[in-house]
PDB file of all heavy atoms in Angstrom:
ATOM      1  N   ASP A   1      19.232 -28.633 -46.316  1.00 92.00           N
ATOM      2  CA  ASP A   1      19.282 -28.760 -44.867  1.00 92.00           C
ATOM      3  C   ASP A   1      18.536 -30.039 -44.522  1.00 92.00           C
ATOM      4  O   ASP A   1      17.299 -30.053 -44.479  1.00 92.00           O
ATOM      5  CB  ASP A   1      18.648 -27.537 -44.202  1.00 92.00           C
ATOM      6  CG  ASP A   1      18.793 -27.557 -42.688  1.00 92.00           C
ATOM      7  OD1 ASP A   1      18.889 -28.652 -42.104  1.00 92.00           O
ATOM      8  OD2 ASP A   1      18.801 -26.471 -42.089  1.00 92.00           O
ATOM      9  N   ASN A   2      19.274 -31.097 -44.291  1.00 89.00           N
ATOM     10  CA  ASN A   2      18.649 -32.392 -44.057  1.00 89.00           C
ATOM     11  C   ASN A   2      17.808 -32.392 -42.777  1.00 89.00           C
ATOM     12  O   ASN A   2      16.787 -33.079 -42.696  1.00 89.00           O
ATOM     13  CB  ASN A   2      19.708 -33.484 -43.996  1.00 89.00           C
ATOM     14  CG  ASN A   2      20.391 -33.701 -45.331  1.00 89.00           C
ATOM     15  OD1 ASN A   2      19.769 -33.536 -46.386  1.00 89.00           O
ATOM     16  ND2 ASN A   2      21.658 -34.061 -45.300  1.00 89.00           N
ATOM     17  N   ALA A   3      18.218 -31.621 -41.801  1.00 91.00           N
ATOM     18  CA  ALA A   3      17.473 -31.575 -40.536  1.00 91.00           C
ATOM     19  C   ALA A   3      16.103 -30.947 -40.725  1.00 91.00           C
ATOM     20  O   ALA A   3      15.148 -31.290 -40.019  1.00 91.00           O
ATOM     21  CB  ALA A   3      18.270 -30.818 -39.494  1.00 91.00           C
ATOM     22  N   LYS A   4      16.006 -30.023 -41.681  1.00 93.00           N
ATOM     23  CA  LYS A   4      14.731 -29.337 -41.938  1.00 93.00           C
ATOM     24  C   LYS A   4      14.003 -29.916 -43.154  1.00 93.00           C
ATOM     25  O   LYS A   4      12.949 -29.400 -43.539  1.00 93.00           O
ATOM     26  CB  LYS A   4      14.970 -27.847 -42.144  1.00 93.00           C
ATOM     27  CG  LYS A   4      15.501 -27.139 -40.902  1.00 93.00           C
ATOM     28  CD  LYS A   4      15.646 -25.648 -41.157  1.00 93.00           C
ATOM     29  CE  LYS A   4      16.119 -24.937 -39.887  1.00 93.00           C
ATOM     30  NZ  LYS A   4      16.271 -23.464 -40.108  1.00 93.00           N
ATOM     31  N   ASN A   5      14.582 -30.944 -43.771  1.00 93.00           N
ATOM     32  CA  ASN A   5      13.970 -31.542 -44.973  1.00 93.00           C
ATOM     33  C   ASN A   5      13.676 -30.483 -46.029  1.00 93.00           C
ATOM     34  O   ASN A   5      12.607 -30.501 -46.673  1.00 93.00           O
ATOM     35  CB  ASN A   5      12.692 -32.295 -44.606  1.00 93.00           C
ATOM     36  CG  ASN A   5      12.966 -33.455 -43.684  1.00 93.00           C
ATOM     37  OD1 ASN A   5      13.966 -34.157 -43.819  1.00 93.00           O
ATOM     38  ND2 ASN A   5      12.094 -33.646 -42.710  1.00 93.00           N
ATOM     39  N   THR A   6      14.622 -29.605 -46.225  1.00 95.00           N
ATOM     40  CA  THR A   6      14.412 -28.453 -47.101  1.00 95.00           C
ATOM     41  C   THR A   6      15.619 -28.247 -48.007  1.00 95.00           C
ATOM     42  O   THR A   6      16.763 -28.420 -47.579  1.00 95.00           O
ATOM     43  CB  THR A   6      14.165 -27.188 -46.267  1.00 95.00           C
ATOM     44  OG1 THR A   6      13.003 -27.393 -45.449  1.00 95.00           O
ATOM     45  CG2 THR A   6      13.934 -25.977 -47.151  1.00 95.00           C
ATOM     46  N   VAL A   7      15.310 -27.884 -49.249  1.00 97.00           N
ATOM     47  CA  VAL A   7      16.337 -27.503 -50.213  1.00 97.00           C
ATOM     48  C   VAL A   7      16.130 -26.040 -50.554  1.00 97.00           C
ATOM     49  O   VAL A   7      14.985 -25.591 -50.706  1.00 97.00           O
ATOM     50  CB  VAL A   7      16.250 -28.368 -51.482  1.00 97.00           C
ATOM     51  CG1 VAL A   7      17.225 -27.875 -52.537  1.00 97.00           C
ATOM     52  CG2 VAL A   7      16.554 -29.819 -51.149  1.00 97.00           C
ATOM     53  N   TYR A   8      17.235 -25.324 -50.680  1.00 98.00           N
ATOM     54  CA  TYR A   8      17.173 -23.891 -50.947  1.00 98.00           C
ATOM     55  C   TYR A   8      17.807 -23.550 -52.291  1.00 98.00           C
ATOM     56  O   TYR A   8      18.692 -24.264 -52.776  1.00 98.00           O
ATOM     57  CB  TYR A   8      17.906 -23.116 -49.844  1.00 98.00           C
ATOM     58  CG  TYR A   8      17.386 -23.370 -48.460  1.00 98.00           C
ATOM     59  CD1 TYR A   8      18.013 -24.275 -47.610  1.00 98.00           C
ATOM     60  CD2 TYR A   8      16.247 -22.700 -48.002  1.00 98.00           C
ATOM     61  CE1 TYR A   8      17.528 -24.513 -46.336  1.00 98.00           C
ATOM     62  CE2 TYR A   8      15.760 -22.934 -46.722  1.00 98.00           C
ATOM     63  CZ  TYR A   8      16.405 -23.844 -45.899  1.00 98.00           C
ATOM     64  OH  TYR A   8      15.926 -24.076 -44.636  1.00 98.00           O
ATOM     65  N   LEU A   9      17.358 -22.445 -52.850  1.00 98.00           N
ATOM     66  CA  LEU A   9      17.999 -21.898 -54.045  1.00 98.00           C
ATOM     67  C   LEU A   9      18.197 -20.411 -53.800  1.00 98.00           C
ATOM     68  O   LEU A   9      17.239 -19.647 -53.797  1.00 98.00           O
ATOM     69  CB  LEU A   9      17.146 -22.123 -55.295  1.00 98.00           C
ATOM     70  CG  LEU A   9      17.804 -21.690 -56.596  1.00 98.00           C
ATOM     71  CD1 LEU A   9      18.962 -22.632 -56.945  1.00 98.00           C
ATOM     72  CD2 LEU A   9      16.790 -21.670 -57.751  1.00 98.00           C
ATOM     73  N   GLN A  10      19.439 -20.038 -53.575  1.00 98.00           N
ATOM     74  CA  GLN A  10      19.781 -18.635 -53.405  1.00 98.00           C
ATOM     75  C   GLN A  10      20.106 -18.054 -54.773  1.00 98.00           C
ATOM     76  O   GLN A  10      20.986 -18.565 -55.473  1.00 98.00           O
ATOM     77  CB  GLN A  10      20.986 -18.483 -52.476  1.00 98.00           C
ATOM     78  CG  GLN A  10      21.471 -17.063 -52.300  1.00 98.00           C
ATOM     79  CD  GLN A  10      20.493 -16.186 -51.554  1.00 98.00           C
ATOM     80  OE1 GLN A  10      19.928 -16.594 -50.545  1.00 98.00           O
ATOM     81  NE2 GLN A  10      20.267 -14.969 -52.059  1.00 98.00           N
ATOM     82  N   MET A  11      19.382 -17.024 -55.160  1.00 98.00           N
ATOM     83  CA  MET A  11      19.569 -16.413 -56.473  1.00 98.00           C
ATOM     84  C   MET A  11      19.977 -14.956 -56.301  1.00 98.00           C
ATOM     85  O   MET A  11      19.296 -14.186 -55.623  1.00 98.00           O
ATOM     86  CB  MET A  11      18.290 -16.496 -57.296  1.00 98.00           C
ATOM     87  CG  MET A  11      17.772 -17.919 -57.484  1.00 98.00           C
ATOM     88  SD  MET A  11      16.448 -18.023 -58.700  1.00 98.00           S
ATOM     89  CE  MET A  11      15.167 -17.123 -57.841  1.00 98.00           C
ATOM     90  N   ASN A  12      21.071 -14.593 -56.917  1.00 98.00           N
ATOM     91  CA  ASN A  12      21.600 -13.229 -56.853  1.00 98.00           C
ATOM     92  C   ASN A  12      21.708 -12.641 -58.252  1.00 98.00           C
ATOM     93  O   ASN A  12      21.652 -13.376 -59.252  1.00 98.00           O
ATOM     94  CB  ASN A  12      22.978 -13.236 -56.176  1.00 98.00           C
ATOM     95  CG  ASN A  12      22.944 -13.830 -54.788  1.00 98.00           C
ATOM     96  OD1 ASN A  12      22.030 -13.578 -54.000  1.00 98.00           O
ATOM     97  ND2 ASN A  12      23.961 -14.625 -54.466  1.00 98.00           N
ATOM     98  N   SER A  13      21.893 -11.346 -58.306  1.00 97.00           N
ATOM     99  CA  SER A  13      22.067 -10.651 -59.588  1.00 97.00           C
ATOM    100  C   SER A  13      20.990 -11.057 -60.592  1.00 97.00           C
ATOM    101  O   SER A  13      21.281 -11.375 -61.751  1.00 97.00           O
ATOM    102  CB  SER A  13      23.461 -10.941 -60.163  1.00 97.00           C
ATOM    103  OG  SER A  13      24.476 -10.558 -59.259  1.00 97.00           O
ATOM    104  N   LEU A  14      19.754 -11.043 -60.134  1.00 97.00           N
ATOM    105  CA  LEU A  14      18.662 -11.500 -60.973  1.00 97.00           C
ATOM    106  C   LEU A  14      18.447 -10.575 -62.167  1.00 97.00           C
ATOM    107  O   LEU A  14      18.658  -9.355 -62.083  1.00 97.00           O
ATOM    108  CB  LEU A  14      17.390 -11.620 -60.146  1.00 97.00           C
ATOM    109  CG  LEU A  14      17.356 -12.842 -59.215  1.00 97.00           C
ATOM    110  CD1 LEU A  14      16.276 -12.703 -58.164  1.00 97.00           C
ATOM    111  CD2 LEU A  14      17.140 -14.108 -60.038  1.00 97.00           C
ATOM    112  N   ARG A  15      18.024 -11.189 -63.264  1.00 96.00           N
ATOM    113  CA  ARG A  15      17.793 -10.488 -64.522  1.00 96.00           C
ATOM    114  C   ARG A  15      16.344 -10.660 -64.943  1.00 96.00           C
ATOM    115  O   ARG A  15      15.704 -11.647 -64.549  1.00 96.00           O
ATOM    116  CB  ARG A  15      18.707 -11.063 -65.604  1.00 96.00           C
ATOM    117  CG  ARG A  15      20.189 -11.093 -65.240  1.00 96.00           C
ATOM    118  CD  ARG A  15      20.961 -11.972 -66.200  1.00 96.00           C
ATOM    119  NE  ARG A  15      22.390 -12.031 -65.860  1.00 96.00           N
ATOM    120  CZ  ARG A  15      23.247 -12.906 -66.392  1.00 96.00           C
ATOM    121  NH1 ARG A  15      22.824 -13.780 -67.297  1.00 96.00           N
ATOM    122  NH2 ARG A  15      24.506 -12.878 -66.025  1.00 96.00           N
ATOM    123  N   PRO A  16      15.824  -9.758 -65.759  1.00 96.00           N
ATOM    124  CA  PRO A  16      14.440  -9.930 -66.227  1.00 96.00           C
ATOM    125  C   PRO A  16      14.210 -11.289 -66.896  1.00 96.00           C
ATOM    126  O   PRO A  16      13.121 -11.860 -66.765  1.00 96.00           O
ATOM    127  CB  PRO A  16      14.277  -8.779 -67.225  1.00 96.00           C
ATOM    128  CG  PRO A  16      15.192  -7.719 -66.701  1.00 96.00           C
ATOM    129  CD  PRO A  16      16.381  -8.458 -66.168  1.00 96.00           C
ATOM    130  N   GLU A  17      15.216 -11.814 -67.566  1.00 96.00           N
ATOM    131  CA  GLU A  17      15.055 -13.117 -68.231  1.00 96.00           C
ATOM    132  C   GLU A  17      14.994 -14.294 -67.257  1.00 96.00           C
ATOM    133  O   GLU A  17      14.750 -15.428 -67.663  1.00 96.00           O
ATOM    134  CB  GLU A  17      16.182 -13.354 -69.252  1.00 96.00           C
ATOM    135  CG  GLU A  17      17.588 -13.209 -68.701  1.00 96.00           C
ATOM    136  CD  GLU A  17      18.176 -11.833 -68.948  1.00 96.00           C
ATOM    137  OE1 GLU A  17      17.446 -10.824 -68.836  1.00 96.00           O
ATOM    138  OE2 GLU A  17      19.400 -11.776 -69.252  1.00 96.00           O
ATOM    139  N   ASP A  18      15.215 -14.027 -65.976  1.00 97.00           N
ATOM    140  CA  ASP A  18      15.050 -15.069 -64.961  1.00 97.00           C
ATOM    141  C   ASP A  18      13.596 -15.195 -64.526  1.00 97.00           C
ATOM    142  O   ASP A  18      13.261 -16.091 -63.731  1.00 97.00           O
ATOM    143  CB  ASP A  18      15.916 -14.753 -63.731  1.00 97.00           C
ATOM    144  CG  ASP A  18      17.400 -14.801 -64.026  1.00 97.00           C
ATOM    145  OD1 ASP A  18      17.826 -15.691 -64.795  1.00 97.00           O
ATOM    146  OD2 ASP A  18      18.139 -13.946 -63.494  1.00 97.00           O
ATOM    147  N   THR A  19      12.745 -14.327 -65.024  1.00 97.00           N
ATOM    148  CA  THR A  19      11.322 -14.395 -64.698  1.00 97.00           C
ATOM    149  C   THR A  19      10.739 -15.725 -65.158  1.00 97.00           C
ATOM    150  O   THR A  19      10.859 -16.096 -66.326  1.00 97.00           O
ATOM    151  CB  THR A  19      10.562 -13.233 -65.356  1.00 97.00           C
ATOM    152  OG1 THR A  19      11.022 -12.002 -64.788  1.00 97.00           O
ATOM    153  CG2 THR A  19       9.061 -13.378 -65.136  1.00 97.00           C
ATOM    154  N   ALA A  20      10.138 -16.448 -64.224  1.00 98.00           N
ATOM    155  CA  ALA A  20       9.599 -17.778 -64.519  1.00 98.00           C
ATOM    156  C   ALA A  20       8.915 -18.316 -63.266  1.00 98.00           C
ATOM    157  O   ALA A  20       9.029 -17.730 -62.181  1.00 98.00           O
ATOM    158  CB  ALA A  20      10.716 -18.731 -64.942  1.00 98.00           C
ATOM    159  N   VAL A  21       8.240 -19.434 -63.441  1.00 98.00           N
ATOM    160  CA  VAL A  21       7.783 -20.211 -62.299  1.00 98.00           C
ATOM    161  C   VAL A  21       8.888 -21.218 -61.982  1.00 98.00           C
ATOM    162  O   VAL A  21       9.361 -21.925 -62.873  1.00 98.00           O
ATOM    163  CB  VAL A  21       6.464 -20.941 -62.583  1.00 98.00           C
ATOM    164  CG1 VAL A  21       6.043 -21.768 -61.367  1.00 98.00           C
ATOM    165  CG2 VAL A  21       5.372 -19.940 -62.954  1.00 98.00           C
ATOM    166  N   TYR A  22       9.289 -21.246 -60.736  1.00 98.00           N
ATOM    167  CA  TYR A  22      10.367 -22.124 -60.301  1.00 98.00           C
ATOM    168  C   TYR A  22       9.775 -23.316 -59.555  1.00 98.00           C
ATOM    169  O   TYR A  22       8.966 -23.146 -58.645  1.00 98.00           O
ATOM    170  CB  TYR A  22      11.336 -21.348 -59.413  1.00 98.00           C
ATOM    171  CG  TYR A  22      12.239 -20.431 -60.212  1.00 98.00           C
ATOM    172  CD1 TYR A  22      11.722 -19.284 -60.815  1.00 98.00           C
ATOM    173  CD2 TYR A  22      13.588 -20.709 -60.393  1.00 98.00           C
ATOM    174  CE1 TYR A  22      12.522 -18.442 -61.587  1.00 98.00           C
ATOM    175  CE2 TYR A  22      14.412 -19.875 -61.153  1.00 98.00           C
ATOM    176  CZ  TYR A  22      13.862 -18.754 -61.744  1.00 98.00           C
ATOM    177  OH  TYR A  22      14.664 -17.924 -62.500  1.00 98.00           O
ATOM    178  N   TYR A  23      10.214 -24.507 -59.951  1.00 98.00           N
ATOM    179  CA  TYR A  23       9.676 -25.746 -59.402  1.00 98.00           C
ATOM    180  C   TYR A  23      10.772 -26.570 -58.727  1.00 98.00           C
ATOM    181  O   TYR A  23      11.899 -26.652 -59.215  1.00 98.00           O
ATOM    182  CB  TYR A  23       9.080 -26.610 -60.517  1.00 98.00           C
ATOM    183  CG  TYR A  23       7.914 -26.008 -61.242  1.00 98.00           C
ATOM    184  CD1 TYR A  23       8.087 -25.254 -62.402  1.00 98.00           C
ATOM    185  CD2 TYR A  23       6.610 -26.216 -60.792  1.00 98.00           C
ATOM    186  CE1 TYR A  23       7.018 -24.706 -63.077  1.00 98.00           C
ATOM    187  CE2 TYR A  23       5.523 -25.679 -61.468  1.00 98.00           C
ATOM    188  CZ  TYR A  23       5.742 -24.927 -62.605  1.00 98.00           C
ATOM    189  OH  TYR A  23       4.662 -24.400 -63.277  1.00 98.00           O
ATOM    190  N   CYS A  24      10.383 -27.215 -57.659  1.00 97.00           N
ATOM    191  CA  CYS A  24      11.238 -28.172 -56.970  1.00 97.00           C
ATOM    192  C   CYS A  24      10.926 -29.563 -57.512  1.00 97.00           C
ATOM    193  O   CYS A  24       9.768 -29.863 -57.856  1.00 97.00           O
ATOM    194  CB  CYS A  24      10.961 -28.096 -55.474  1.00 97.00           C
ATOM    195  SG  CYS A  24      12.027 -29.119 -54.452  1.00 97.00           S
ATOM    196  N   ASN A  25      11.925 -30.409 -57.552  1.00 96.00           N
ATOM    197  CA  ASN A  25      11.778 -31.721 -58.189  1.00 96.00           C
ATOM    198  C   ASN A  25      12.616 -32.763 -57.474  1.00 96.00           C
ATOM    199  O   ASN A  25      13.713 -32.480 -56.993  1.00 96.00           O
ATOM    200  CB  ASN A  25      12.221 -31.603 -59.653  1.00 96.00           C
ATOM    201  CG  ASN A  25      12.547 -32.926 -60.299  1.00 96.00           C
ATOM    202  OD1 ASN A  25      13.648 -33.471 -60.121  1.00 96.00           O
ATOM    203  ND2 ASN A  25      11.607 -33.464 -61.053  1.00 96.00           N
ATOM    204  N   THR A  26      12.091 -33.983 -57.449  1.00 95.00           N
ATOM    205  CA  THR A  26      12.889 -35.103 -56.997  1.00 95.00           C
ATOM    206  C   THR A  26      12.316 -36.390 -57.560  1.00 95.00           C
ATOM    207  O   THR A  26      11.235 -36.403 -58.142  1.00 95.00           O
ATOM    208  CB  THR A  26      12.956 -35.167 -55.459  1.00 95.00           C
ATOM    209  OG1 THR A  26      14.006 -36.086 -55.075  1.00 95.00           O
ATOM    210  CG2 THR A  26      11.636 -35.646 -54.859  1.00 95.00           C
ATOM    211  N   ASP A  27      13.076 -37.462 -57.400  1.00 92.00           N
ATOM    212  CA  ASP A  27      12.632 -38.787 -57.831  1.00 92.00           C
ATOM    213  C   ASP A  27      12.769 -39.757 -56.670  1.00 92.00           C
ATOM    214  O   ASP A  27      13.715 -39.665 -55.887  1.00 92.00           O
ATOM    215  CB  ASP A  27      13.477 -39.295 -59.002  1.00 92.00           C
ATOM    216  CG  ASP A  27      13.311 -38.457 -60.239  1.00 92.00           C
ATOM    217  OD1 ASP A  27      12.201 -38.464 -60.801  1.00 92.00           O
ATOM    218  OD2 ASP A  27      14.275 -37.776 -60.625  1.00 92.00           O
ATOM    219  N   LEU A  28      11.818 -40.672 -56.602  1.00 91.00           N
ATOM    220  CA  LEU A  28      11.873 -41.690 -55.565  1.00 91.00           C
ATOM    221  C   LEU A  28      11.270 -42.961 -56.119  1.00 91.00           C
ATOM    222  O   LEU A  28      10.119 -42.951 -56.575  1.00 91.00           O
ATOM    223  CB  LEU A  28      11.112 -41.234 -54.317  1.00 91.00           C
ATOM    224  CG  LEU A  28      11.192 -42.173 -53.115  1.00 91.00           C
ATOM    225  CD1 LEU A  28      12.623 -42.270 -52.600  1.00 91.00           C
ATOM    226  CD2 LEU A  28      10.255 -41.694 -52.000  1.00 91.00           C
ATOM    227  N   TYR A  29      12.085 -44.028 -56.099  1.00 90.00           N
ATOM    228  CA  TYR A  29      11.628 -45.330 -56.590  1.00 90.00           C
ATOM    229  C   TYR A  29      11.040 -45.233 -57.999  1.00 90.00           C
ATOM    230  O   TYR A  29       9.994 -45.836 -58.290  1.00 90.00           O
ATOM    231  CB  TYR A  29      10.607 -45.935 -55.627  1.00 90.00           C
ATOM    232  CG  TYR A  29      11.106 -46.063 -54.210  1.00 90.00           C
ATOM    233  CD1 TYR A  29      10.312 -45.643 -53.151  1.00 90.00           C
ATOM    234  CD2 TYR A  29      12.369 -46.569 -53.928  1.00 90.00           C
ATOM    235  CE1 TYR A  29      10.767 -45.731 -51.838  1.00 90.00           C
ATOM    236  CE2 TYR A  29      12.830 -46.660 -52.630  1.00 90.00           C
ATOM    237  CZ  TYR A  29      12.028 -46.241 -51.589  1.00 90.00           C
ATOM    238  OH  TYR A  29      12.478 -46.326 -50.300  1.00 90.00           O
ATOM    239  N   GLY A  30      11.715 -44.472 -58.840  1.00 91.00           N
ATOM    240  CA  GLY A  30      11.323 -44.399 -60.236  1.00 91.00           C
ATOM    241  C   GLY A  30      10.185 -43.451 -60.548  1.00 91.00           C
ATOM    242  O   GLY A  30       9.751 -43.343 -61.708  1.00 91.00           O
ATOM    243  N   ARG A  31       9.679 -42.763 -59.557  1.00 93.00           N
ATOM    244  CA  ARG A  31       8.593 -41.819 -59.781  1.00 93.00           C
ATOM    245  C   ARG A  31       9.108 -40.408 -59.543  1.00 93.00           C
ATOM    246  O   ARG A  31       9.845 -40.158 -58.592  1.00 93.00           O
ATOM    247  CB  ARG A  31       7.429 -42.128 -58.834  1.00 93.00           C
ATOM    248  CG  ARG A  31       6.222 -41.239 -59.045  1.00 93.00           C
ATOM    249  CD  ARG A  31       5.046 -41.682 -58.188  1.00 93.00           C
ATOM    250  NE  ARG A  31       3.938 -40.748 -58.316  1.00 93.00           N
ATOM    251  CZ  ARG A  31       2.783 -40.882 -57.679  1.00 93.00           C
ATOM    252  NH1 ARG A  31       2.581 -41.920 -56.883  1.00 93.00           N
ATOM    253  NH2 ARG A  31       1.835 -40.000 -57.852  1.00 93.00           N
ATOM    254  N   THR A  32       8.682 -39.497 -60.417  1.00 95.00           N
ATOM    255  CA  THR A  32       9.113 -38.106 -60.336  1.00 95.00           C
ATOM    256  C   THR A  32       8.057 -37.263 -59.638  1.00 95.00           C
ATOM    257  O   THR A  32       6.853 -37.435 -59.896  1.00 95.00           O
ATOM    258  CB  THR A  32       9.367 -37.547 -61.738  1.00 95.00           C
ATOM    259  OG1 THR A  32      10.419 -38.312 -62.360  1.00 95.00           O
ATOM    260  CG2 THR A  32       9.805 -36.083 -61.673  1.00 95.00           C
ATOM    261  N   TYR A  33       8.517 -36.387 -58.777  1.00 96.00           N
ATOM    262  CA  TYR A  33       7.615 -35.516 -58.028  1.00 96.00           C
ATOM    263  C   TYR A  33       7.974 -34.060 -58.285  1.00 96.00           C
ATOM    264  O   TYR A  33       9.156 -33.699 -58.373  1.00 96.00           O
ATOM    265  CB  TYR A  33       7.716 -35.806 -56.521  1.00 96.00           C
ATOM    266  CG  TYR A  33       7.262 -37.187 -56.158  1.00 96.00           C
ATOM    267  CD1 TYR A  33       8.156 -38.262 -56.137  1.00 96.00           C
ATOM    268  CD2 TYR A  33       5.922 -37.443 -55.833  1.00 96.00           C
ATOM    269  CE1 TYR A  33       7.749 -39.527 -55.810  1.00 96.00           C
ATOM    270  CE2 TYR A  33       5.505 -38.720 -55.506  1.00 96.00           C
ATOM    271  CZ  TYR A  33       6.418 -39.757 -55.491  1.00 96.00           C
ATOM    272  OH  TYR A  33       6.002 -41.027 -55.169  1.00 96.00           O
TER     273      TYR A  33
END
C-alpha cells in the first residue's frame, strides 16, 4: 500500500513448519535494510 508506506504478507493454511521470525527487507542505494 504505497499510500500507507506499508507492505503486507497474508499467510493462510499455516503449518507448524512455518514457525519462524519473519523479517521485512529492502535495499536502497546499495544498502540493505
Side-chain angles (χ1 to χ4, degrees):
D1 185 333
N2 293 328
K4 295 183 177 180
N5 297 322
T6 300
V7 174
Y8 303 98
L9 185 70
Q10 177 68 44
M11 303 191 293
N12 302 318
S13 303
L14 285 164
R15 307 166 181 168
E17 54 264 39
D18 294 321
T19 295
V21 179
Y22 284 71
Y23 297 92
C24 185
N25 161 279
T26 194
D27 295 293
L28 185 64
Y29 304 133
R31 183 174 175 180
T32 299
Y33 296 90

